[in-house]
Amino acid sequence: MSALDWIVLVGTLGFIGLYGAYASRGVKTVDEYVRGGQTLRWPTIGLSIMATQASAITFLSTPGQAYQSGMGFVQFYFGLPLAMIVISAVFVPIYYKLDVLTAYQYLEHRFDGRVRTLGAILFLVQRGLAAGITIYAPSIILSSVLGWSLDLTNVVMGVSVVAYTVMGGQKAVSQTQKQQMIVMLAGMAIATVLIVWKLPDSVSLPSAVKLAGALDRMNVVSFDLDLDSRYNFWAGITGGFFLALSYFGTDQSQVGRYLSGKSVAESRLGLLFNGMLKIPMQFGILFAGIMVFVFYQFVAPPLFFNAPALAKVAASAHGPELTALEGRYQAAFEVQRAAAQQYVTSLEAGAEDVAAKTALRAAAQDTEALRTEAKALVKKAVPEAETKDADYVFITFVLTYLPAGIVGLLIAVILCASMSSTASELSALATTTMVDLYSRVRGPAAPDQARDLRASKLFILLWGLVAVSFATFASMLDNLIQAVNIVGSIFYGTVLGIFMVAFFMKRVTATPVLFAAFVAQTTVLVLFFGSDLGFLWYNVIGCGIVMALAGVLQIALPTRLTRQPAAPAPR
Amino acid sequence: MTVGDEIDWKKLYVLLVVELAALTGLFWLLSRWAS
């Protein structure tokens, strides 16, 4: 990174941090701290919701995903607008009417304390681990390509987020997220324009898109019904709908964003704003990856994008093998480049050369086979290295080909994304710990704003320490990271099912729903270990079982188990 | 007057669904044209 990059990076982050501290000055009550005093307007809420979901991995991995597998990932988000409608229409008014601070508070009102505790604990376990990943995942990539110390990167990111979150609570989080989202969107737009500008003069944008399509990268929408495939229209509309409904409707890291709204209407508009922008935004990020892919049809890409890992192979006993492989790869790439140029020339002339397209596809298969050989070599020479290098594609391109200043801006984008997601997570973890566990364990006590405010800040600090510690030790626990990513998918269906029963099946009481949640969770786990079902379907199945079984048990169980307890006293 | 007094929520919901349908259609056409 050049001096200009550092100036842009530090300047952007510094401005955002100071702005957050300024905008949230004078927070005195727990309500202001936890719900921003419910003063936020819909643009801030909408941007805050988007910033919470868009973590660093969105910007690091998504373009790489498009580079490797095409645009199909956008279908993952097709259910999101529908989920925003349901949440706006049903969830938001109920949360506001009951004046809750957390989503799980609602569960006690509707069922009993046991269900509230179950919901809160499921959230704390899954989100607590995820907060560490939100810091660790970008750190491992940035530190390896930029040469920064991994532990220092973890600590700097964690500490800076904890600092402004502790100082200003929910309001600081939302105000900084507004700035961060603007930086993220502007940064990606600038990057995409630059990437397209860097394509050879002989390649127009339509030809670039067709070239990507010729190599199976423009598979944006697929209507094939294939239960094992992750990304198709049906999985997106149904599984994606349930996932979004659970994440935005019941996960406190998102619920906390829109409960800070001035009114039901402001919250709803913020959610619908997210619903309108999310798919175009994801399309844009994926498209940046496609343009990088097209760029690399004319400029030789690295044999393996994780350069530090490749350097280790070169320095090992397998170095000569790598050199030979690189030689073959260069030769194969030249054949592919020639075929790509010929194909594009025919497109520009208005008459697609099918033979050139066939030759291009065959050449691409050859280079891909050599990349697979390279990955096997990396695994042999450096067993602990990650062989999936898609996460490194975009950052490698940025560092190698984009001008000074823009590099700093894009690193700022990635750090903003990480910080914005982590801030929401920490704030949500602290609020849930405070409201759903600590206050209830402490028992009834005279209201004391100062004490409660101190406790809220302390919980943010503690969860921040947990997140940074986990990020620091995560490098030793490679498999745990896989498991943690999976945990979210496995639990979301059950939690959503509990809330769906709460909202829509008014006659079902606490005990049936608890039993049903247990059965649903067990079923999803059995399916996970025993089948190849696409992840998105777990949300549907978990939710469906909770709802169906809870309804049946309400009728089948003895009355003494299904009696509705009295609603709890006000908070 | 607060935001929301004059908003027709059903119309907004329909707009979101229409946007989703339009984007799906556009993306599908793009897939067909490019591949």
Side-chain angles (χ1 to χ4, degrees):
Chain A
M1 282 173 64
S2 66
L4 179 57
D5 292 323
W6 277 109
I7 290 168
V8 170
L9 173 61
V10 172
T12 308
L13 297 182
F15 168 75
I16 291 173
L18 287 171
Y19 179 85
Y22 170 76
S24 59
R25 65 201 183 284
V27 167
K28 288 200 169 47
T29 67
V30 171
D31 191 73
E32 279 174 350
Y33 197 70
V34 159
R35 282 193 308 191
Q38 286 190 306
T39 55
L40 297 184
R41 306 249 4 257
W42 67 267
T44 306
I45 294 172
L47 289 172
S48 177
I49 287 171
M50 293 176 78
T52 298
Q53 187 180 19
S55 74
I57 288 301
T58 301
F59 298 96
L60 280 170
S61 293
T62 308
Q65 172 120 25
Y67 180 93
Q68 191 137 288
S69 318
M71 300 278 300
F73 182 61
V74 75
Q75 294 166 108
F76 187 80
Y77 295 95
F78 279 12
L80 188 147
L82 304 176
M84 295 300 102
I85 293 171
V86 172
I87 294 169
S88 296
V90 178
F91 291 43
V92 171
I94 292 177
Y95 288 153
Y96 269 80
K97 187 171 151 197
L98 296 174
D99 199 27
V100 296
L101 294 173
T102 73
Y104 320 108
Q105 250 180 309
Y106 164 68
L107 292 178
E108 179 165 12
H109 189 272
R110 171 64 180 82
F111 297 115
D112 63 17
R114 296 173 301 165
V115 182
R116 176 183 178 181
T117 306
L118 173 67
I121 288 174
L122 283 177
F123 167 71
L124 289 175
V125 167
Q126 129 202 340
R127 229 0 112 183
L129 295 172
I133 293 298
T134 315
I135 296 174
Y136 173 72
S139 292
I140 184 91
I141 296 170
L142 288 177
S143 69
S144 77
V145 296
L146 292 167
W148 299 346
S149 145
L150 175 58
D151 289 342
L152 191 60
T153 311
N154 282 333
V155 167
V156 166
M157 289 224 287
V159 163
S160 48
V161 170
V162 167
Y164 68 74
T165 311
V166 165
M167 279 199 307
Q170 207 70 277
K171 211 168 176 188
V173 172
S174 298
Q175 294 298 345
T176 48
Q177 283 175 332
K178 190 169 69 175
Q179 310 302 328
Q180 285 158 346
M181 199 63 219
I182 291 168
V183 167
M184 287 189 253
L185 290 173
M188 284 310 290
I190 291 169
T192 307
V193 166
L194 280 173
I195 297 166
V196 172
W197 182 65
K198 277 201 157 317
L199 293 177
D201 291 337
S202 57
V203 183
S204 66
L205 185 56
S207 296
V209 172
K210 283 212 106 158
L211 177 56
L215 292 170
D216 302 326
R217 295 307 195 272
M218 289 305 296
N219 47 345
V220 193
V221 171
S222 160
F223 287 104
D224 294 337
L225 183 58
D226 180 1
L227 289 176
D228 287 341
S229 90
R230 220 179 261 191
Y231 309 127
N232 58 61
F233 175 81
W234 309 111
I237 274 290
T238 48
F241 167 71
F242 280 89
L243 179 62
L245 198 60
S246 183
Y247 173 58
F248 290 99
T250 73
D251 189 313
Q252 182 62 21
S253 57
Q254 283 291 1
V255 174
R257 314 270 41 87
Y258 54 83
L259 287 187
S260 308
K262 210 166 161 175
S263 64
V264 168
E266 298 285 356
S267 293
R268 278 174 162 172
L269 285 174
L271 284 161
L272 296 177
F273 175 79
N274 175 46
M276 298 204 96
L277 283 196
K278 189 68 188 180
I279 294 174
M281 180 183 117
Q282 287 298 140
F283 181 89
I285 295 172
L286 284 162
F287 192 72
I290 295 294
M291 290 297 102
V292 169
F293 174 77
V294 172
F295 175 86
Y296 277 128
Q297 300 306 305
F298 302 97
V299 173
L303 178 57
F304 186 67
F305 278 93
N306 183 345
L310 204 62
K312 282 188 188 158
V313 177
S316 74
H318 295 274
E321 217 178 317
L322 178 64
T323 310
L325 189 56
E326 274 175 341
R328 287 161 57 204
Y329 182 70
Q330 270 303 120
F333 174 74
E334 288 307 323
V335 173
Q336 186 175 338
R337 188 208 333 237
Q341 191 60 63
Q342 196 177 343
Y343 181 60
V344 163
T345 306
S346 74
L347 288 174
E348 294 291 337
E352 188 192 22
D353 183 345
V354 177
K357 182 176 175 178
T358 310
L360 172 61
R361 288 175 65 85
Q365 269 190 321
D366 291 341
T367 50
E368 196 51 42
L370 288 167
R371 273 177 46 78
T372 307
E373 256 189 74
K375 285 177 186 175
L377 185 59
V378 167
K379 197 78 205 162
K380 227 176 13 174
V382 190
E384 70 276 11
E386 175 57 67
T387 53
K388 291 191 212 132
D389 64 344
D391 291 348
Y392 292 82
V393 168
F394 190 61
I395 189 77
T396 303
F397 173 83
V398 166
L399 291 172
T400 318
Y401 295 106
L402 291 189
I406 301 300
V407 174
L409 178 62
L410 287 174
I411 304 289
V413 163
I414 290 162
L415 293 177
C416 277
S418 175
M419 287 161 67
S420 61
S421 300
T422 308
S424 282
E425 287 166 342
L426 292 183
S427 148
L429 287 163
T431 303
T432 302
T433 308
M434 171 76 192
V435 169
D436 294 308
L437 297 184
Y438 172 74
S439 299
R440 298 170 68 228
V441 162
R442 187 191 66 205
D448 181 342
Q449 286 291 345
R451 179 200 62 212
D452 287 349
L453 198 55
R454 269 196 313 272
S456 299
K457 292 188 179 198
L458 183 63
F459 285 129
I460 291 182
L461 193 56
L462 287 174
W463 278 110
L465 280 170
V466 166
V468 172
S469 307
F470 183 71
T472 307
F473 291 110
S475 55
M476 300 178 197
L477 304 164
D478 247 12
N479 289 332
L480 185 59
I481 289 166
Q482 293 284 342
V484 163
N485 283 328
I486 287 158
V487 158
S489 312
I490 292 176
F491 281 141
Y492 267 147
T494 306
V495 174
L496 177 62
I498 294 171
F499 275 85
M500 293 300 272
V501 170
F503 286 127
F504 297 113
M505 296 167 70
K506 295 291 183 194
R507 294 164 84 132
V508 177
T509 57
T511 304
V513 91
L514 272 174
F515 282 164
F518 176 73
V519 170
Q521 198 56 75
T522 311
T523 308
V524 169
L525 283 166
V526 164
L527 281 173
F528 167 67
F529 286 112
S531 80
D532 287 326
L533 204 54
F535 279 113
L536 288 178
W537 296 110
Y538 293 140
N539 296 286
V540 185
I541 290 167
C543 181
I545 291 177
V546 171
M547 292 177 79
L549 192 54
V552 166
L553 287 173
Q554 179 65 29
I555 300 166
L557 287 176
T559 320
R560 63 180 171 83
L561 289 176
T562 60
R563 214 173 295 128
Q564 176 71 19
R571 169 170 50 83
Chain B
M1 186 175 71
T2 54
V3 164
D5 288 358
E6 67 284 355
I7 294 178
D8 184 337
W9 294 107
K10 287 201 175 107
K11 273 201 182 123
L12 270 181
Y13 299 154
V14 166
L15 187 61
L16 221 57
V17 173
V18 166
E19 190 210 3
L20 175 62
L23 286 172
T24 305
L26 271 169
F27 292 162
W28 181 75
L29 285 170
L30 179 61
S31 305
R32 292 281 308 254
W33 174 79
S35 301

